[in-house]
Amino acid sequence: MSSEVRFTDFKSDKQPTWCPGCGDFGTMNGMMKALANTGNHPDDTFIVAGIGCSGKIGTYMHSYALHGVHGRALPVGTGVKLANPDLEVMVAGGDGDGYSIGAGHFVHAVRRNVDMTYVVMDNRIYGLTKGQASPTSREDFETATTPEGPKQPPVNPLALALAAGGTFIAQSFSSDAMRHAEIVQRAIEHDGFGFVNVFSPCVTFNDVDTYDYFRDNLVDLAETEHDPTDEDEAKTKILDSEKEYQGVIYQDDRSVPYSEQFGLGANMSEIPDGAPEGAMDLVREFY
């Protein structure tokens, strides 16, 4: 850990309004620890969030932050990182925010491979709007709006990421504090788009995908002989519907971030005074 930065430096003076016991507390703590462990400072960190229970995380963390609109956090994060490559950009969202209305942005953010981190708090339900089935809910998960279950297979976000050319795909459990922070740290340190799907149980509306369920069923890849650089092995794990995995599932050690591919290393956030030469002539052509 950096001698100058502690994870508590990333805590704001605003108290979270999440339900007591919500997995998002552990998810956020791990994010803060990972940022501190990588030597980042709140003044050089930008948090972007979307809509849902995760949406106010930028209020609860001490850094630059923007609370975006539903499903649009990733485009904002992409713009921030490309405009100012010196910032550590972390985008946070939920399964409804990222894999439903934001699914298109998710796929394109993955394939662009911008050097930022995307942490998704996957509780397999819409929590903020009181318990509807989400894209990752089980096929037979009963809710007030789906009393017989959604009757369609859940979205596999890891498979989406791999199919889109993801260079870092991982999964963690918010209650496994040290392991979760370690996995997010590895995503931050990755040269490219670091994606971490976090099992973050909803204690109010989801009585199926609980803390006990994940404790009993998670397989930690660190305790196996899994090779995260082997794409075929990663694909096998990702498509294994019989098990829940924790750890770095796939990492392309040849990853080249978007900005490096296209020579976008300059800080574009520093805008000089006045319009660029010839800009007004261009504007007049349309008026």
Side-chain angles (χ1 to χ4, degrees):
M1 178 178 290
S2 168
S3 60
E4 298 179 358
V5 183
R6 300 168 298 174
F7 92 94
T8 52
D9 294 333
F10 284 93
K11 285 189 174 182
S12 77
D13 58 358
K14 306 297 182 183
Q15 293 300 313
T17 56
W18 294 321
C19 299
C22 175
D24 291 358
F25 286 99
T27 303
M28 180 175 68
N29 286 340
M31 292 164 60
M32 293 189 293
K33 289 176 182 176
L35 286 165
N37 288 348
T38 48
N40 288 291
H41 191 279
D43 290 346
D44 300 315
T45 303
F46 200 109
I47 305 295
V48 186
I51 299 298
C53 293
S54 62
K56 291 185 69 177
I57 195 169
T59 303
Y60 307 146
M61 291 178 64
H62 175 57
S63 68
Y64 290 104
L66 190 145
H67 186 180
V69 296
H70 205 186
R72 306 298 188 265
L74 282 170
V76 174
T78 298
V80 171
K81 185 63 180 181
L82 294 182
N84 189 348
D86 296 330
L87 287 174
E88 186 64 55
V89 176
M90 182 174 284
V91 178
D95 45 302
D97 183 64
Y99 308 143
S100 181
I101 190 172
H105 289 301
F106 172 56
V107 168
H108 293 295
V110 169
R111 75 182 186 88
R112 289 189 183 102
N113 202 32
V114 175
D115 190 17
M116 60 185 188
T117 307
Y118 186 36
V119 176
V120 178
M121 302 171 200
D122 185 0
N123 54 23
R124 297 177 171 175
I125 199 166
Y126 281 103
L128 188 66
T129 51
K130 314 307 181 193
Q132 299 85 1
S134 84
T136 55
S137 294
R138 299 166 187 260
E139 195 167 350
D140 58 354
F141 186 69
E142 297 176 4
T143 73
T145 54
T146 55
E148 297 181 359
K151 294 188 175 181
Q152 51 189 333
V155 167
N156 184 335
L158 307 180
L160 277 178
L162 188 67
T167 59
F168 185 97
I169 303 169
Q171 201 152 246
S172 67
F173 176 34
S174 65
S175 184
D176 192 345
M178 291 183 63
R179 190 76 172 101
H180 164 57
E182 175 195 339
I183 292 167
V184 176
Q185 179 177 340
R186 289 184 62 178
I188 294 171
E189 293 171 339
H190 176 69
D191 289 331
F193 189 84
F195 167 52
V196 184
N197 189 67
V198 186
F199 294 129
S200 184
C202 174
V203 296
T204 302
F205 297 109
N206 192 333
D207 59 1
V208 177
D209 300 294
T210 62
Y211 287 103
D212 287 341
Y213 165 77
F214 286 113
R215 291 190 187 105
D216 292 342
N217 289 279
L218 267 181
V219 176
D220 195 329
L221 292 174
E223 300 172 1
T224 71
E225 297 181 355
H226 177 68
D227 178 6
T229 65
D230 186 328
E231 187 172 359
D232 290 332
E233 192 173 335
K235 186 184 300 182
T236 299
K237 294 290 190 302
I238 288 171
L239 297 180
D240 182 358
S241 60
E242 301 299 318
K243 294 180 181 177
E244 310 270 17
Y245 291 102
Q246 174 177 233
V248 179
I249 300 174
Y250 179 65
Q251 182 169 15
D252 184 352
D253 52 13
R254 301 163 299 173
S255 171
V256 180
Y258 184 91
S259 56
E260 189 174 329
Q261 292 182 50
F262 296 97
L264 302 175
N267 188 334
M268 293 182 282
S269 65
E270 298 177 358
I271 302 174
D273 293 335
E277 183 179 353
M280 294 310 298
D281 292 336
L282 182 62
V283 169
R284 289 189 188 98
E285 288 185 22
F286 297 93
Y287 290 93

